[in-house]
Amino acid sequence: MIGIFDSGVGGLSVFREIVRILPEEKYIYWSDNAHCPYGEKSRDYIIDRARAVTSFLIEQGADIIVVACNTATAAAINTLREEFSVPFIGMEPAVKPAAQATRSGVVGVLATAGTLKATKYIDTRAKWAHDVKIVEHIGQGFVELVEKGNTSGPEAESIVEKSVRPLVEAGADTIVLGCTHYPFLADTIRKVAGTPVTLVDPAPAVAKHLMEVMQENGLIRKDGFSMSLHSSGEPETLKNTYNNLI
Ligand code: DGL
C-alpha cells in the first residue's frame, strides 16, 4: 500500500501523476489540513506532524511513503528515514529541468517560505542554477486558495498575480511550481502571467522515481486500485478535489 501525505490537498497533484503509471495499486492519503499551512511553521513542528502522520499510515498498512509536500520533505525527510524502516519518496524542487528549459535565462521559483529557506533547496539551486538567474517568490495565499477549492476567478487571479507578476517582470519565462498545491493553480498562473510561461512541476519525475523504488523493493502488487482518504480537519475539499481528479 502506498501512503501519501501533505499538509492538505496539494499531494493529490502528485497522486494524479502516480496513479497514471501505477493504476492498480492500493493507496492511502492523509491531508493534514487541521495543521495547514506548513509553509510558515517551524521545522520542529513539521517534523512532529510528519512523524505522527507516518506512524498512522504505516499502522494502516502503508509499506512505502510519498512525502507529497515540498515543505515537509525539506524539514522532515531525513528524520523520517532515520526513524522508520519503510522507503520514503520526497519532493525535489525542479530547478534542474527549469534551468535547462529557460530561453530567457531567468527561472522563477514559487514555493513556501519553509521550502525557500531550507538547505535542501539552497543546495539544489547552487548545484543546478549557476548559468541562469533565479528569482524566487513565496506563493502568498496560494495554499489557502487551493484548500478552499477556489482555484480560478477574480479573487484567485488577484492573489496569484501578486506573486507571479514580479517573476515575469524579472524576465522569467519558466516557473518552478515548488509546492504541491500550486499545480492546481496552473491555469490561473498562466492567465495572470500575461505572457507565455513554462510551468515546471516535479510530480511526474517523483512518480517515476516512486515506481523505480517500488520495483527495486518488490512492492508493486497490481492487485486492484483502491484509495482510502483521511484528513485531520474538515474533509470537504479533499473529497471534492479527489472527485474532480478521477
Ligand atoms: N503542499 C505543501 C508544499 O508542497 C505545503 C504547503 C503549505 O502547507 O504551506 O510545500
Side-chain angles (χ1 to χ4, degrees), residues 22-135:
L22 292 166
E24 291 177 70
E25 303 307 309
K26 308 240 173 284
Y27 294 87
I28 178 167
Y29 186 94
W30 181 273
S31 157
D32 203 20
N33 60 341
H35 305 268
C36 184
Y38 281 176
E40 310 284 332
K41 304 274 195 321
S42 73
R43 197 169 161 270
D44 285 348
Y45 183 93
I46 297 168
I47 290 175
D48 282 349
R49 290 308 309 152
R51 191 184 271 137
V53 173
T54 297
S55 300
F56 171 80
L57 295 173
I58 292 174
E59 265 164 43
Q60 299 298 307
D63 42 22
I64 186 161
I65 308 268
V66 182
V67 184
C69 172
N70 294 70
T71 315
T73 300
I77 203 162
N78 293 342
T79 308
L80 295 176
R81 286 188 172 131
E82 280 164 22
E83 295 182 5
F84 297 91
S85 57
V86 300
F88 286 89
I89 307 297
M91 300 304 298
E92 287 290 331
V95 174
K96 182 185 174 190
Q100 288 165 345
T102 179
R103 287 163 185 261
S104 68
V106 183
V107 168
V109 177
L110 288 170
T112 67
T115 297
L116 292 175
K117 66 171 191 245
T119 319
K120 193 172 177 76
Y121 169 69
I122 294 167
D123 289 351
T124 306
R125 188 183 60 190
K127 189 162 172 202
W128 299 111
H130 23 82
D131 294 333
V132 299
K133 184 176 169 202
I134 298 279
V135 284

Side-chain angles (χ1 to χ4, degrees), residues 93-99 101-111 121 133-139 142 160-161 163-179 182-183 185-186 188-202:
V95 174
K96 182 185 174 190
T102 179
R103 287 163 185 261
S104 68
V106 183
V107 168
V109 177
L110 288 170
Y121 169 69
K133 184 176 169 202
I134 298 279
V135 284
E136 293 152 359
H137 214 286
I138 294 169
F142 288 22
V160 168
E161 184 165 16
S163 298
V164 170
R165 180 102 347 239
L167 303 180
V168 175
E169 277 168 5
D173 64 349
T174 306
I175 297 179
V176 174
L177 302 179
C179 167
Y182 300 174
L185 291 165
T188 300
I189 294 171
R190 282 198 197 90
K191 185 168 178 196
V192 303
T195 170
V197 284
T198 303
L199 302 182
V200 187
D201 176 4

Side-chain angles (χ1 to χ4, degrees), residues 1 23-27 219-226:
M1 185 188 280
E24 291 177 70
E25 303 307 309
K26 308 240 173 284
Y27 294 87
L219 293 174
I220 299 183
R221 302 271 150 70
K222 295 193 180 168
D223 51 4
F225 174 80
S226 71

